[in-house]
Amino acid sequence: MPEWLEVIWRTVFAVVVLFFLTKLLGKRQVSQLSFFEYITGITVGSLAAYISLDTDKTWHLGVIALIVWVAFSLGIEFLQMKSKKARDFIDFKSTVLIKDGKILEDNLKKERLTTDELLGELRKKDVFKVADVEFAIMETDGAINVLLTRENQPLTPKHLGVKVAPEQETQAVIMDGEIMDEPLDALGLTRGWLMGELEKLNLSPENVYLGQVDSYGELTVDLYTDSVEVPQTQEKPQLYALLKKCEADLELFSLSTNNEQAKKMYGQCSEQLQDLLKQLKPFVQN
């Protein structure tokens, strides 16, 4: 066999072997790497290159070394799952860099991190003032996570004592001009409903690059031709969906409160919105 053809065959073989072994190692190997996973990635890549390019008769030893290394990596991962001490020894411990708005200089030196680098990492988290930070921790994979002080945290419905209705995942119902039946089934919708919504926009599925439906049944589309504007017939469905969300939230508030006066008020408002939605529905469908 010519040498160039042998290199091609070995490269294809190495890619196939590497693909299946990487699948065996799992998603962590292609995510943010820990210390040992970083070493594994470099070594596995070097062994794959050896298998591809070494033209002597011992290339098969590279395959054996690759399999042994992957098996050893799986053993290390199993040990880490079973033992906290093993995890701390192999991947190090997390390190607190800021506590109560104060930088811990000794920990910063321990991680060989400069003040400029720390401030840069904080800016990536939209934090520009160290005093606003309750905790900043360097994780075992090198990422820095930040917890703001309570007064600097974003306001949420929970802070206001308000419970909101759960929201379902937005589903892609059209992709590359093809209708996706499984997401439609998950939303309890049909192809007929989807075609009706597209007709309101004077579109066919072939014109749509991506079509998504949210938990309130609103269809939004992105077209292949960016210069073509989607007809603005989605304003009424948007308003209708917003009113439905308000009605669902009011009903949830009525069920979750123990205050009889508040329960009655929420219930009456929910009923009034239900009546309004019944009156609006014919106009939304037109």
Side-chain angles (χ1 to χ4, degrees):
M1 180 185 297
E3 190 173 280
W4 62 270
L5 188 59
E6 185 177 357
V7 169
I8 292 175
W9 180 85
R10 289 184 186 178
T11 301
V12 173
F13 176 75
V15 168
V16 172
V17 171
L18 196 58
F19 173 79
F20 284 106
L21 292 179
T22 305
K23 290 274 286 184
L24 188 62
L25 286 173
K27 294 179 181 179
R28 286 186 55 185
Q29 192 60 35
V30 294
S31 63
Q32 187 75 28
L33 299 179
S34 66
F35 176 73
F36 185 77
E37 288 163 349
Y38 176 74
I39 296 174
T40 298
I42 294 175
T43 305
V44 167
S46 300
L47 289 172
Y50 169 79
I51 296 170
S52 298
L53 298 175
D54 190 54
T55 56
D56 61 23
K57 300 300 182 181
T58 62
W59 65 271
H60 62 280
L61 298 178
V63 177
I64 296 174
L66 189 61
I67 295 173
V68 170
W69 187 269
V70 169
F72 185 77
S73 299
L74 289 174
I76 290 293
E77 290 181 5
F78 180 78
L79 181 62
Q80 287 177 300
M81 288 190 292
K82 293 295 183 180
S83 171
K84 175 70 167 62
K85 292 182 179 179
R87 288 197 298 272
D88 292 341
F89 177 75
I90 295 171
D91 287 338
F92 307 114
K93 294 182 179 180
S94 300
T95 304
V96 178
L97 302 178
I98 300 176
K99 185 176 181 180
D100 299 329
K102 302 293 183 182
I103 297 176
L104 305 181
E105 292 84 359
D106 290 340
N107 287 352
L108 211 62
K109 292 177 182 177
K110 175 184 174 184
E111 298 297 342
R112 299 183 182 90
L113 198 67
T114 66
T115 306
D116 287 334
E117 290 171 334
L118 176 62
L119 293 176
E121 291 296 323
L122 292 178
R123 288 193 292 270
K124 292 179 183 178
K125 306 289 185 181
D126 296 327
V127 179
F128 292 84
K129 190 176 179 181
V130 174
D132 293 341
V133 179
E134 186 78 29
F135 286 104
I137 301 176
M138 175 175 276
E139 306 293 354
T140 57
D141 59 5
I144 296 178
N145 291 318
V146 176
L147 174 67
L148 295 175
T149 54
R150 186 173 293 275
E151 60 269 21
N152 288 294
Q153 293 177 10
L155 193 64
T156 65
K158 185 177 181 180
H159 292 136
L160 301 175
V162 176
K163 293 184 179 180
V164 296
E167 188 167 332
Q168 294 180 353
E169 176 187 0
T170 298
Q171 300 281 356
V173 295
I174 302 177
M175 194 175 293
D176 300 328
E178 298 288 337
I179 296 177
M180 315 291 288
D181 290 313
E182 188 174 340
L184 277 173
D185 292 340
L187 292 168
L189 301 174
T190 64
R191 280 190 173 227
W193 173 88
L194 180 59
M195 295 303 296
E197 293 297 309
L198 290 174
E199 285 178 8
K200 294 177 185 178
L201 303 174
N202 296 321
L203 297 173
S204 64
E206 293 76 16
N207 304 133
V208 179
Y209 178 70
L210 178 65
Q212 293 180 301
V213 177
D214 62 19
S215 57
Y216 303 106
E218 181 186 349
L219 173 68
T220 55
V221 297
D222 183 86
L223 306 182
Y224 276 105
T225 307
D226 293 332
S227 60
V228 177
E229 293 187 3
V230 178
Q232 298 300 315
T233 59
Q234 299 186 44
E235 293 180 358
K236 289 190 290 185
Q238 285 178 351
L239 177 59
Y240 187 78
L242 179 60
L243 290 174
K244 283 184 66 177
K245 181 178 185 301
C246 293
E247 188 274 327
D249 287 342
L250 286 170
E251 187 174 356
L252 181 63
F253 299 158
S254 174
L255 295 173
S256 60
T257 183
N258 294 322
N259 188 306
E260 291 299 325
Q261 186 176 357
K263 185 186 291 290
K264 184 177 179 181
M265 180 187 67
Y266 287 138
Q268 290 175 346
C269 291
S270 176
E271 290 175 0
Q272 292 173 4
L273 263 181
Q274 286 179 13
D275 293 337
L276 178 61
L277 288 169
K278 289 178 182 177
Q279 298 175 30
L280 289 175
K281 191 171 183 180
F283 299 99
V284 175
Q285 292 177 337
N286 293 332

